[in-house]
Amino acid sequence: MKKKIILLVAIVGLAYACKSPKSTEVNPADLVKTATYAFSDTAKLDTFKVAITGKQLSEMKLVFTIHSFNGSEIYKQEVSANELLKSYLASAEMKDDEDKVNFLKEEISYFFDEKHFLEPAVTENETPDKNVPDVTFYNELKKSNLNGFEYRFSKDKSYYIAWSAMEQKVKVYYKCC
Protein backbone atom coordinates (compact mmCIF):
# COMPACT_ATOMS: atom_id res chain seq x y z
CA MET A 1 0.00 0.00 0.00
CA LYS A 2 2.80 2.39 0.92
CA LYS A 3 4.50 1.71 -2.45
CA LYS A 4 1.26 2.50 -4.29
CA ILE A 5 0.92 5.86 -2.54
CA ILE A 6 4.56 6.74 -3.28
CA LEU A 7 4.08 5.71 -6.90
CA LEU A 8 0.88 7.79 -7.14
CA VAL A 9 2.59 10.84 -5.61
CA ALA A 10 5.52 10.40 -7.99
CA ILE A 11 3.23 10.19 -11.04
CA VAL A 12 1.25 13.27 -9.98
CA GLY A 13 4.49 15.16 -9.25
CA LEU A 14 5.97 14.16 -12.60
CA ALA A 15 2.82 15.15 -14.45
CA TYR A 16 2.79 18.53 -12.70
CA ALA A 17 6.49 19.09 -13.40
CA CYS A 18 6.06 18.30 -17.09
CA LYS A 19 3.14 20.67 -17.44
CA SER A 20 4.40 23.75 -19.27
CA PRO A 21 3.83 27.12 -17.65
CA LYS A 22 1.11 29.35 -19.06
CA SER A 23 2.56 31.50 -21.84
CA THR A 24 1.25 34.42 -23.85
CA GLU A 25 3.13 33.31 -26.94
CA VAL A 26 0.83 32.98 -29.91
CA ASN A 27 0.91 31.57 -33.38
CA PRO A 28 2.04 34.45 -35.66
CA ALA A 29 -0.48 33.37 -38.31
CA ASP A 30 -3.27 34.31 -35.87
CA LEU A 31 -2.03 37.88 -35.82
CA VAL A 32 -1.88 38.79 -39.52
CA LYS A 33 -4.65 39.80 -41.87
CA THR A 34 -4.52 41.09 -45.44
CA ALA A 35 -7.05 42.55 -47.85
CA THR A 36 -6.89 43.90 -51.38
CA TYR A 37 -8.70 47.07 -52.31
CA ALA A 38 -8.72 49.75 -55.02
CA PHE A 39 -7.08 52.62 -53.19
CA SER A 40 -4.24 54.43 -55.00
CA ASP A 41 -5.92 53.67 -58.32
CA THR A 42 -9.62 53.31 -59.06
CA ALA A 43 -9.15 50.03 -60.94
CA LYS A 44 -5.98 48.34 -59.60
CA LEU A 45 -5.85 46.64 -56.20
CA ASP A 46 -3.47 47.61 -53.41
CA THR A 47 -2.64 45.22 -50.56
CA PHE A 48 -3.55 46.20 -47.00
CA LYS A 49 -1.89 44.27 -44.20
CA VAL A 50 -2.21 44.50 -40.45
CA ALA A 51 -0.05 42.36 -38.20
CA ILE A 52 0.97 42.00 -34.61
CA THR A 53 4.72 41.50 -34.42
CA GLY A 54 6.62 40.11 -31.43
CA LYS A 55 6.20 36.90 -29.47
CA GLN A 56 5.55 38.27 -25.99
CA LEU A 57 2.94 40.88 -25.14
CA SER A 58 5.58 43.28 -23.82
CA GLU A 59 7.32 43.41 -27.22
CA MET A 60 4.30 43.24 -29.52
CA LYS A 61 3.45 45.99 -32.02
CA LEU A 62 0.51 46.45 -34.33
CA VAL A 63 1.87 47.28 -37.80
CA PHE A 64 -0.39 48.50 -40.59
CA THR A 65 0.98 48.74 -44.13
CA ILE A 66 -0.35 49.37 -47.60
CA HIS A 67 1.53 48.19 -50.70
CA SER A 68 0.45 49.61 -54.02
CA PHE A 69 -0.57 47.46 -56.96
CA ASN A 70 3.05 47.69 -58.23
CA GLY A 71 4.44 46.34 -54.93
CA SER A 72 5.90 49.47 -53.35
CA GLU A 73 5.04 50.35 -49.76
CA ILE A 74 2.95 53.51 -49.74
CA TYR A 75 1.87 53.63 -46.09
CA LYS A 76 3.08 52.33 -42.76
CA GLN A 77 1.93 53.03 -39.23
CA GLU A 78 2.68 51.15 -36.06
CA VAL A 79 1.80 51.30 -32.40
CA SER A 80 2.99 49.20 -29.49
CA ALA A 81 0.45 46.71 -28.19
CA ASN A 82 0.79 48.26 -24.74
CA GLU A 83 -0.14 51.72 -26.10
CA LEU A 84 -3.13 50.26 -27.92
CA LEU A 85 -4.25 48.38 -24.82
CA LYS A 86 -3.90 51.44 -22.56
CA SER A 87 -6.73 53.22 -24.33
CA TYR A 88 -9.07 50.25 -23.81
CA LEU A 89 -8.13 48.96 -20.36
CA ALA A 90 -10.52 51.22 -18.46
CA SER A 91 -13.59 49.91 -20.27
CA ALA A 92 -12.59 46.36 -21.14
CA GLU A 93 -12.27 43.33 -18.92
CA MET A 94 -8.72 42.25 -19.62
CA LYS A 95 -7.42 40.62 -16.49
CA ASP A 96 -4.39 38.74 -17.78
CA ASP A 97 -2.05 38.59 -20.77
CA GLU A 98 -4.17 35.94 -22.47
CA ASP A 99 -7.18 38.28 -22.40
CA LYS A 100 -5.02 41.07 -23.82
CA VAL A 101 -3.71 38.91 -26.66
CA ASN A 102 -7.26 37.78 -27.44
CA PHE A 103 -8.30 41.43 -27.59
CA LEU A 104 -5.47 42.12 -30.06
CA LYS A 105 -6.68 39.22 -32.21
CA GLU A 106 -10.17 40.74 -32.22
CA GLU A 107 -8.72 44.11 -33.29
CA ILE A 108 -6.93 42.39 -36.19
CA SER A 109 -10.21 40.78 -37.28
CA TYR A 110 -12.10 44.07 -36.97
CA PHE A 111 -9.46 46.12 -38.81
CA PHE A 112 -10.61 45.17 -42.32
CA ASP A 113 -14.32 45.14 -41.61
CA GLU A 114 -16.17 46.18 -44.77
CA LYS A 115 -17.38 49.45 -43.23
CA HIS A 116 -13.78 50.74 -43.05
CA PHE A 117 -13.39 50.80 -46.85
CA LEU A 118 -14.95 54.05 -48.04
CA GLU A 119 -16.04 54.39 -51.68
CA PRO A 120 -15.31 57.17 -52.49
CA ALA A 121 -13.36 58.76 -49.65
CA VAL A 122 -15.25 62.03 -49.99
CA THR A 123 -18.48 62.61 -51.89
CA GLU A 124 -19.39 65.75 -53.83
CA ASN A 125 -21.92 66.80 -51.20
CA GLU A 126 -19.62 66.58 -48.18
CA THR A 127 -18.04 69.71 -46.75
CA PRO A 128 -14.91 69.92 -44.59
CA ASP A 129 -15.26 70.57 -40.87
CA LYS A 130 -12.90 71.07 -37.92
CA ASN A 131 -11.70 67.45 -38.17
CA VAL A 132 -10.22 67.97 -41.64
CA PRO A 133 -6.48 68.65 -41.30
CA ASP A 134 -5.92 69.64 -44.97
CA VAL A 135 -8.82 71.27 -46.85
CA THR A 136 -6.90 71.31 -50.14
CA PHE A 137 -6.41 67.53 -49.96
CA TYR A 138 -10.05 67.06 -48.96
CA ASN A 139 -11.15 68.98 -52.06
CA GLU A 140 -8.71 66.96 -54.21
CA LEU A 141 -10.46 63.80 -53.02
CA LYS A 142 -13.85 65.21 -54.02
CA LYS A 143 -12.59 65.56 -57.60
CA SER A 144 -10.53 62.35 -57.85
CA ASN A 145 -13.21 59.99 -56.46
CA LEU A 146 -10.44 57.84 -54.99
CA ASN A 147 -11.43 55.53 -52.17
CA GLY A 148 -10.61 56.00 -48.52
CA PHE A 149 -9.92 53.81 -45.54
CA GLU A 150 -10.73 54.36 -41.87
CA TYR A 151 -8.82 52.78 -38.98
CA ARG A 152 -8.18 53.29 -35.29
CA PHE A 153 -5.19 52.83 -33.03
CA SER A 154 -7.06 53.85 -29.90
CA LYS A 155 -10.55 53.83 -28.49
CA ASP A 156 -11.03 57.55 -29.00
CA LYS A 157 -9.51 58.42 -32.37
CA SER A 158 -10.10 57.25 -35.93
CA TYR A 159 -7.98 58.15 -38.94
CA TYR A 160 -9.37 58.45 -42.44
CA ILE A 161 -6.73 58.09 -45.13
CA ALA A 162 -6.64 58.27 -48.91
CA TRP A 163 -4.16 58.50 -51.76
CA SER A 164 -3.13 61.96 -52.92
CA ALA A 165 -2.55 61.75 -56.67
CA MET A 166 -1.04 65.25 -56.57
CA GLU A 167 1.51 64.44 -53.84
CA GLN A 168 1.87 60.73 -54.69
CA LYS A 169 1.44 59.59 -51.10
CA VAL A 170 -1.16 58.48 -48.58
CA LYS A 171 -2.45 61.26 -46.38
CA VAL A 172 -4.90 61.67 -43.52
CA TYR A 173 -7.97 63.56 -44.68
CA TYR A 174 -10.06 63.29 -41.53
CA LYS A 175 -9.36 62.65 -37.80
CA CYS A 176 -12.12 62.15 -35.38
CA CYS A 177 -13.31 60.63 -32.14
Side-chain angles (χ1 to χ4, degrees):
M1 178 77 164
K2 194 174 184 181
K3 287 183 182 181
K4 288 182 181 179
I5 293 174
I6 292 173
L7 181 60
L8 181 62
V9 170
I11 290 172
V12 169
L14 184 60
Y16 183 77
C18 291
K19 187 178 179 181
S20 61
K22 192 173 183 180
S23 172
T24 59
E25 284 194 32
V26 294
N27 178 359
D30 292 341
L31 299 177
V32 176
K33 191 167 182 180
T34 60
T36 55
Y37 180 65
F39 184 72
S40 64
D41 187 281
T42 56
K44 298 176 183 169
L45 300 179
D46 297 328
T47 302
F48 288 61
K49 179 180 176 183
V50 64
I52 298 290
T53 62
K55 291 186 179 188
Q56 297 295 326
L57 186 61
S58 61
E59 62 189 39
M60 288 180 174
K61 290 182 181 182
L62 186 138
V63 180
F64 168 45
T65 57
I66 303 172
H67 285 83
S68 71
F69 56 87
N70 66 12
S72 61
E73 183 176 277
I74 58 174
Y75 192 71
K76 182 176 184 177
Q77 292 294 316
E78 61 183 62
V79 64
S80 74
N82 286 330
E83 285 298 313
L84 181 63
L85 289 165
K86 276 183 194 178
S87 71
Y88 289 94
L89 287 176
S91 62
E93 297 274 336
M94 292 182 269
K95 296 178 180 126
D96 58 25
D97 285 355
E98 186 176 351
D99 291 338
K100 293 173 185 176
V101 169
N102 286 335
F103 171 80
L104 293 171
K105 287 179 186 179
E106 289 171 14
E107 282 297 294
I108 293 288
S109 294
Y110 176 72
F111 207 85
F112 295 136
D113 195 67
E114 188 175 309
K115 70 181 181 179
H116 296 141
F117 294 95
L118 309 168
E119 298 180 14
V122 178
T123 65
E124 285 182 29
N125 302 331
E126 291 179 282
T127 56
D129 63 22
K130 65 181 172 107
N131 297 312
V132 173
D134 183 343
V135 175
T136 303
F137 177 49
Y138 191 89
N139 289 327
E140 173 192 339
L141 289 172
K142 276 184 165 187
K143 294 175 187 170
S144 72
N145 283 324
L146 287 172
N147 296 329
F149 181 74
E150 180 259 331
Y151 70 95
R152 67 182 187 197
F153 272 168
S154 72
K155 181 171 109 175
D156 301 325
K157 187 163 280 197
S158 291
Y159 299 92
Y160 294 72
I161 59 173
W163 178 255
S164 171
M166 288 176 55
E167 295 184 44
Q168 292 293 295
K169 67 180 184 178
V170 175
K171 295 179 65 175
V172 173
Y173 69 91
Y174 197 80
K175 288 187 220 178
C176 188
C177 39

